[in-house]
Amino acid sequence: MAQRGLQRAGRRSNLALLGLLLVAAGTGVLGYAVGTPTAGRVIAVAHGAAGLGLLLLVPWKTVVVRRARRRPLALRAPSAAYWLTGLVVVCLVSGVLHAAGAAGIWASSGTPIAALQVHVGAAIVLAAALVAHVRGRHQRPRKVDLGRRTLLGAGALAGGSVVIWTATEGLWRLTGAPGATRSGTGSYERGTDDPAAMPVTQWATDTVPESAAEQVQLSGGGRTVAVPVDDLDRGDSVRAALDCTGGWWADQDWRGTTLHRLVTDHLGPLAEDAQCIRVTSVTGFSRRIPLRDARTTLLATHAAGRPLSTGHGAPARLVAPGRRGVWWVKWVDRVEVLDSPWWLQPPFPLQ
Ligand SMILES: Nc1nc2c(c(=O)[nH]1)N[C@H]1C(S)=C(S)[C@@H](COP(=O)(O)O)O[C@H]1N2
Ligand SMILES: [Mo]
């Protein structure tokens, strides 16, 4: 009897655990894909709550594990369980540190957002380890999984998670922790209206090129023209926030030329089958922008009235309002109008 109850409790807490981890992982990835603070906010709350909700499972899980210790050795928790627990703890602690503002403190020492990098690194390892772990122990769904008790339990878990998240946010406000000033996407402000104070960041393995492009190769509809970089500033301007997935953001007045103007001025009206514009850097880093955004996306040469520095993308970089920093291709030397869709690319660059 007790054994059966224990099994059921174990199964339920495992499912709850998996559920929270899936929500945390899903919102983690989604949060990096979303660039606007409003949508980012919803995702960030779900992400934080799912992570903190794990704490609610600790007492439960402890009982299950403690009882399981009395079982014969062969039936005990495998060592994988300890690794997984360790990784979850690292994710949770680094996530909370970032949310509280440890990132802001470390940023002033020149290593921005260390806590967030630890968080993402541990999460990627955890995701891989979890897939390997769960694969071996596939659970057949049971009727009780959709029963009233399960739904009530899931609801209570979700509610409790949001309560803990709200409490932590309240704590940052009360204590004046830097975390209270984060934007909707969870980023900290760094260098607004002062591009020189803005961090220089690369996505993965890309590095600042030694020499800047002197012209931009423009192609579409079977034609190719070379546009000298001095012709790229057409006075089109936009105020937009660069929001890096590394955890910082900055508002700037950007100036240059919209992709739409650039393309139509030099290549004439867009072909009917045109679908997206691919923008590529001298280093080979590229993103495809949907054609509908061509009038609001800038190939910028200036920030805050000054020419871009090398680190920030000179001679020209993309400014994609509403998109995360990873779309803002620096050191652009190629712009191509393509007749294939914008989503025909990895969700995040591989470079
Ligand atoms: N060519 C190139 N462009 C790039 C990147 C990169 O690695 N290579 N990183 C992107 C990322 S992740 C961000 S947040 C911004 C950072 O811009 P900044 O260095 O001017 O602050 O550039 C984007 N453009
Ligand atoms: Mo970034």
Side-chain angles (χ1 to χ4, degrees):
M1 216 22 218
Q3 187 65 25
R4 184 94 74 64
L6 178 66
Q7 259 175 19
R8 224 180 287 138
R11 176 185 164 80
R12 239 181 277 130
S13 62
N14 275 344
L15 283 179
L17 187 60
L18 191 61
L20 285 179
L21 288 174
L22 285 176
V23 173
T27 51
V29 174
L30 205 59
Y32 269 8
V34 164
T36 54
T38 325
R41 183 98 199 143
V42 178
I43 294 162
V45 173
H47 185 68
L52 290 165
L54 292 169
L55 296 175
L56 293 170
L57 299 180
V58 170
W60 212 357
K61 199 73 184 158
T62 316
V63 173
V64 173
V65 170
R66 198 175 291 150
R67 294 217 196 134
R69 284 238 187 91
R70 298 201 201 116
R71 285 191 231 160
L73 199 60
L75 292 176
R76 283 186 201 168
S79 68
Y82 297 102
W83 279 104
L84 292 172
T85 310
L87 285 166
V88 170
V89 170
V90 172
C91 279
L92 201 53
V93 170
S94 55
V96 170
L97 277 177
H98 173 73
I105 296 162
W106 293 353
S108 55
S109 70
T111 30
I113 334 299
L116 188 56
Q117 277 152 1
V118 171
H119 183 72
V120 174
I124 291 172
V125 178
L126 173 62
L130 206 60
V131 168
H133 181 72
V134 171
R135 252 174 62 179
R137 53 209 80 214
H138 182 74
Q139 299 253 11
R140 236 183 301 143
R142 294 183 204 157
K143 223 170 170 187
V144 289
D145 288 344
L146 280 177
R148 210 167 65 100
R149 272 188 71 176
T150 314
L151 289 183
L152 281 179
L157 183 61
S161 304
V162 173
V163 168
I164 303 187
W165 177 85
T166 311
T168 59
E169 290 297 303
L171 186 64
W172 315 147
R173 294 228 155 88
L174 276 178
T175 55
T181 63
R182 277 176 305 145
S183 79
T185 58
S187 296
Y188 291 88
E189 192 279 317
R190 293 259 281 144
T192 288
D193 292 323
D194 184 6
M198 209 168 60
V200 168
T201 35
Q202 273 62 255
W203 170 250
T205 56
D206 211 0
T207 49
V208 181
E210 307 232 311
S211 59
E214 278 160 19
Q215 52 189 29
V216 170
Q217 293 288 336
L218 197 60
S219 65
R223 294 185 54 207
T224 300
V225 293
V227 183
V229 296
D230 288 342
D231 292 352
L232 292 176
D233 178 15
R234 306 298 298 274
D236 291 337
S237 63
V238 66
R239 185 167 180 81
L242 171 49
D243 189 343
C244 175
T245 51
W248 60 269
W249 68 273
D251 253 337
Q252 309 290 355
D253 291 320
W254 306 95
R255 198 179 81 216
T257 174
T258 64
L259 285 182
H260 185 266
R261 186 203 289 267
L262 178 74
V263 167
T264 51
D265 273 9
H266 293 94
L267 298 173
L270 288 165
E272 242 166 54
D273 59 357
Q275 290 198 49
C276 77
I277 299 178
R278 179 165 61 196
V279 179
T280 309
S281 77
V282 280
T283 58
F285 184 97
S286 84
R287 289 276 84 190
R288 288 168 171 239
I289 305 290
L291 211 55
R292 61 170 181 273
D293 289 350
R295 287 174 195 273
T296 51
T297 306
L298 221 58
L299 190 59
T301 53
H302 289 71
R306 288 186 295 278
L308 294 177
S309 68
T310 305
H312 289 310
R317 78 169 311 156
L318 215 57
V319 166
R323 292 177 188 273
R324 290 304 283 260
V326 64
W327 290 82
W328 297 39
V329 183
K330 302 192 279 190
W331 317 301
V332 171
D333 76 340
R334 206 154 17 114
V335 174
E336 302 153 280
V337 182
L338 303 179
D339 57 7
S340 48
W342 69 271
W343 43 259
L344 217 63
Q345 64 185 337
F348 298 104
L350 303 173
Q351 165 177 17

